[in-house]
Amino acid sequence: KEYKWRNIEIRVEEEYEGEGFKVEEQGSFLWPAAEPFVEWLWNKREVIDGKLVVELGAGAGLTSCCVCKNFDPELFITTDYQQSTLALLSSNIKMNLDDNNNERKLKYFVTNLDW
C-alpha cells in the first residue's frame, strides 16, 4: 500500500488498526503519530539541519524519508529491529532520494538496533 505526505511517498505493508497486531508487524505500518510529528518537524528545520540525528524505531520510515529528502543533517542514523522492517525502510528512503538529493552527499545509515 502506498502512503503520501507532501513530497514523500512510502510503501507500508499493513494498515494500523489499533490493538491486536503481532510484534513482528510493528514496523510494517504507519503509526498514527507519524504524520503529526513530521508536520511539526517540517516547521522546525533547526532541530535537524547541521546536527547528528538518530531515529529510534523508524518503522516504515515517514520521518526518515522526510529528513533524508528535505533536511540537511550532518549525519542521520535511522534504526529498527526487524530485518524485514529495515528492508522496507531502506527501500522507502531510496525511493524518495532522487538525483537532486544524492548531489547533497547526504550521510545516512539504516541499521539494526535491539532496544
Side-chain angles (χ1 to χ4, degrees):
K1 297 174 179 148
E2 299 289 323
Y3 177 83
K4 294 181 182 184
W5 180 86
R6 292 192 186 227
N7 66 343
I8 304 297
E9 292 184 36
I10 64 170
R11 187 172 54 84
V12 295
E13 299 294 326
E14 306 284 334
E15 289 193 29
Y16 179 77
E17 296 177 4
E19 297 179 29
F21 59 85
K22 298 176 187 166
V23 170
E24 60 271 11
E25 295 173 343
Q26 288 183 18
S28 63
F29 53 75
L30 188 64
W31 285 89
E35 189 173 329
F37 180 67
V38 293
E39 189 67 46
W40 175 84
L41 205 59
W42 188 264
N43 297 304
K44 301 283 186 185
R45 295 194 67 85
E46 68 276 7
V47 173
I48 301 292
D49 288 349
K51 309 268 183 9
L52 168 61
V53 179
V54 178
E55 182 180 13
L56 305 175
L62 180 61
T63 302
S64 296
C65 292
C66 182
V67 168
C68 287
K69 188 166 186 170
N70 299 296
F71 293 79
D72 192 25
E74 181 178 330
L75 174 65
F76 182 61
I77 302 169
T78 184
T79 69
D80 214 291
Y81 177 69
Q82 298 287 338
Q83 290 303 316
S84 59
T85 301
L86 292 169
L88 178 63
L89 174 58
S90 294
S91 173
N92 281 334
I93 290 173
K94 288 176 186 171
M95 181 172 63
N96 281 280
L97 284 180
D98 57 23
D99 292 335
N100 293 334
N101 292 97
N102 291 334
E103 290 175 7
R104 293 186 299 129
K105 306 280 191 245
L106 176 68
K107 295 179 190 172
Y108 76 94
F109 298 95
V110 176
T111 190
N112 171 266
L113 180 64
D114 183 358
W115 66 91

